[in-house]
Each structure stands twice: as structure tokens, then as C-alpha cells.
């Protein structure tokens, strides 16, 4: 088997814990003016493909969109999806008494910025799964999603370690069929799972996020 060699020497030399704790959803700090080299995108995908998948089936595909006209069209679908999401109330902030209020308001503001600028990102990456999850049991769904999400997240980590930012987004999926048509993805067989904007970041320092304490998520032996 041909050995994969990292050819682009531009890693930030983050420790693995730093990488895991500072890979944020980057929106306002995406550098929309700096092109991303094809080689870097390929490297990140190469690394992503080291992820696990059910039965090692590797039913993953990455559609990389760099064409300005296509990005414009996909951007329109993203905006339509975002509009539906925000008007449905799902994206509404909590009350201003809630301690999470400021963080949620900031996230919303950042998400709205990306909605405005999504078509300007140098690269859109759409991780796809060869199969569809529609109507499947939760066990079957788990088999599918855990066979693509680790790879997509590895892609984001590989990008971050090279000074690039990403955000896992799903707004455009409300119009997945339209996106499939635009990108010539065979919708019946191939499921789009996200849209990941990819760009160099403005600055390279990112902080760990404030999260709920692990005690609220850990259940020892029983729920
Ligand atoms: C399943 C999923 C869907 C998401 N969809 C969107 C989206 O459509 N648009 C967007 O701007 N961010 C989206 N996000 C990003 C989240 O808002 C982000 O991961 C979260 O706020 C945590 O950000 P942080 O890690 O930078 O703290 C999505 C994240 C996930 C995991």
C-alpha cells in the first residue's frame, strides 16, 4: 500500500489536547480572501479517511465545491434553510436571565454572519454517505451516522491543525435535493450529511469553549 506522506508543512504544532479543545465552529474569523491550496484539502481528506466506519465499509465521499457559481447557488439554499430554521423559533435565544444567554446570542450572531457570507468561503466541503438513512431504525441510523461523522470531524481537526477553520453546518440540508441536482450527486443513493465551510483563519489562537461540567454528562454505572 502506498504510504501517505504529509507534504504540506504548515501544521500549528498543537498538542492533541489543544487541538481537541480549540477546534471551534469558525465563522467570523474565516479568511474569505485567502485561497486554500488543493493539496491542503486533499491532505485533510486523506486524514479524515483514517476514521472508523461500520464494517470498515468506507461509504464516505467528500464533495469539494470551489466553483464560484456553484457556491453562489449552494449559498442560496443555505440561506433558505437558515431562514426556515430561524423563523421556526428553533434558533431563538433563551431569556436574558439565563446565564447561557450571552453565549447563545453570540452564536446566533455568528451563525447569521455565516448565513450572509457563506457563498464567499473559498471552499465548501460536503461529506456524503453512500446510502440513505430515511425511515431507518435508530440502530440502523447509528450505523450510518457513526460511519461518516468521525471522518467529518477528523477533517475539521486536520484543517485546524493546519491553520484552517471549519464549522459543521446543516442548514442547506433542508434543500438537499436541490443541492444534489446542482452538484450532480445521485440523491437516491448518496446522502449529504453537512456543509463544512473551509478557509484559513484570521489569527490562529482559539480558546476552549465554556461547556457544562462533565458531571452533568457522566453517569457512572446507572443513569
Ligand atoms: C449537527 C450540527 C449542526 C450544525 N448546524 C449549523 C448550521 O447550520 N450553521 C451554523 O452556523 N452552525 C452550525 N453548527 C455549529 C454549532 O452551532 C456549533 O458546533 C456549536 O455552537 C458549538 O460551537 P463551538 O464548538 O465553537 O463552541 C452545527 C453543529 C452541529 C454539530
Amino acid at each position: 500500500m502506498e504510504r501517505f506522506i504529509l507534504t504540506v508543512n504548515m501544521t500549528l504544532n498543537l498538542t492533541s489536547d489543544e487541538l481537541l479543545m480549540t477546534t471551534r465552529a469558525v465563522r467570523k474569523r474565516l479568511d474569505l480572501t485567502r485561497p486554500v491550496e488543493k493539496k491542503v484539502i486533499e491532505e485533510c481528506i486523506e486524514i479524515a479517511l483514517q476514521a472508523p466506519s461500520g464494517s470498515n465499509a468506507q461509504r464516505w465521499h467528500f464533495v469539494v465545491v470551489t466553483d464560484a457559481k456553484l457556491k453562489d447557488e449552494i449559498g442560496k439554499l443555505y440561506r433558505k434553510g437558515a431562514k426556515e430554521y430561524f423563523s421556526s423559533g428553533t434558533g431563538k435565544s433563551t431569556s436574558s436571565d439565563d446565564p447561557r444567554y450571552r453565549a447563545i446570542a453570540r452564536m446566533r450572531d455568528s451563525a447569521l454572519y455565516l448565513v450572509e457570507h457563506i457563498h464567499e468561503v473559498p471552499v465548501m466541503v460536503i461529506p456524503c454517505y453512500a446510502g440513505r438513512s430515511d425511515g431507518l431504525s435508530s440502530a440502523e441510523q447509528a450505523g450510518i451516522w457513526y460511519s461518516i461523522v468521525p471522518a467529518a470531524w477528523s477533517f475539521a481537526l486536520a484543517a485546524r491543525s493546519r491553520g484552517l477553520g471549519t464549522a459543521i453546518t446543516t442548514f442547506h440540508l433542508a434543500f438537499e435535493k436541490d443541492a444534489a441536482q446542482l452538484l450532480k450527486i445521485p440523491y437516491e443513493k448518496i446522502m449529504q450529511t453537512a456543509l463544512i465551510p473551509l478557509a484559513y483563519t484570521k489569527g490562529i489562537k482559539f480558546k476552549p469553549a465554556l461547556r457544562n461540567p462533565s458531571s452533568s454528562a457522566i453517569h457512572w454505572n446507572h443513569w
Side-chain angles (χ1 to χ4, degrees):
M1 191 192 291
E2 198 181 313
R3 222 166 74 91
F4 171 57
I5 300 164
L6 292 180
T7 50
V8 183
N9 182 23
M10 50 196 331
T11 60
L12 302 184
N13 290 320
L14 300 172
T15 66
S16 44
D17 282 358
E18 280 169 344
L19 178 65
L20 290 168
M21 293 189 68
T22 65
T23 303
R24 299 267 68 80
V26 186
R27 304 181 187 93
K28 289 187 174 179
R29 289 178 59 191
L30 295 172
D31 187 339
L32 303 175
T33 61
R34 181 171 167 191
V36 179
E37 304 85 346
K38 189 170 176 228
K39 189 85 208 153
V40 178
I41 303 168
E42 285 170 346
E43 252 182 39
C44 294
I45 294 174
E46 196 76 50
I47 289 169
L49 302 192
Q50 291 293 319
S53 61
S55 308
N56 198 21
Q58 303 173 57
R59 300 176 76 154
W60 41 44
H61 295 269
F62 290 78
V63 179
V64 182
V65 185
T66 55
D67 178 86
K69 279 203 187 112
L70 287 174
K71 284 190 293 172
D72 268 352
E73 293 304 316
I74 298 293
K76 284 180 197 161
L77 301 177
Y78 186 89
R79 266 190 289 281
K80 259 168 69 173
K83 199 170 165 195
E84 276 190 3
Y85 174 82
F86 286 114
S87 61
S88 73
T90 329
K92 275 223 174 79
S93 307
T94 51
S95 98
S96 55
D97 303 336
D98 191 310
R100 294 168 304 168
Y101 175 80
R102 276 177 49 197
I104 292 171
R106 238 192 344 265
M107 183 191 68
R108 189 184 160 89
D109 183 56
S110 166
L112 288 171
Y113 171 88
L114 187 60
V115 170
E116 286 304 308
H117 294 275
I118 187 71
H119 59 290
E120 297 169 49
V121 300
V123 187
M124 294 173 172
V125 177
I126 301 182
C128 297
Y129 179 84
R132 298 206 62 87
S133 66
D134 317 273
L136 297 184
S137 70
S138 53
E140 291 165 321
Q141 297 246 5
I144 290 181
W145 288 101
Y146 271 102
S147 296
I148 184 64
V149 171
W153 186 241
S154 289
F155 173 83
L157 294 171
R160 162 75 179 131
S161 83
R162 285 160 177 73
L164 294 121
T166 58
I168 306 283
T169 78
T170 48
F171 286 151
H172 94 287
L173 293 177
F175 300 95
E176 186 196 346
K177 256 189 191 164
D178 302 85
Q181 208 164 23
L182 275 168
L183 302 172
K184 301 190 168 74
I185 297 171
Y187 174 85
E188 306 300 333
K189 289 191 285 190
I190 304 289
M191 180 170 69
Q192 297 167 57
T193 65
L195 187 165
I196 305 180
L198 177 73
Y200 281 100
T201 54
K202 296 179 192 163
I204 54 168
K205 253 193 134 33
F206 288 85
K207 287 188 283 193
L210 194 64
R211 296 283 200 245
N212 295 331
S214 60
S215 57
S216 69
I218 300 176
H219 307 267
W220 294 105
N221 298 316
H222 297 98
W223 183 261

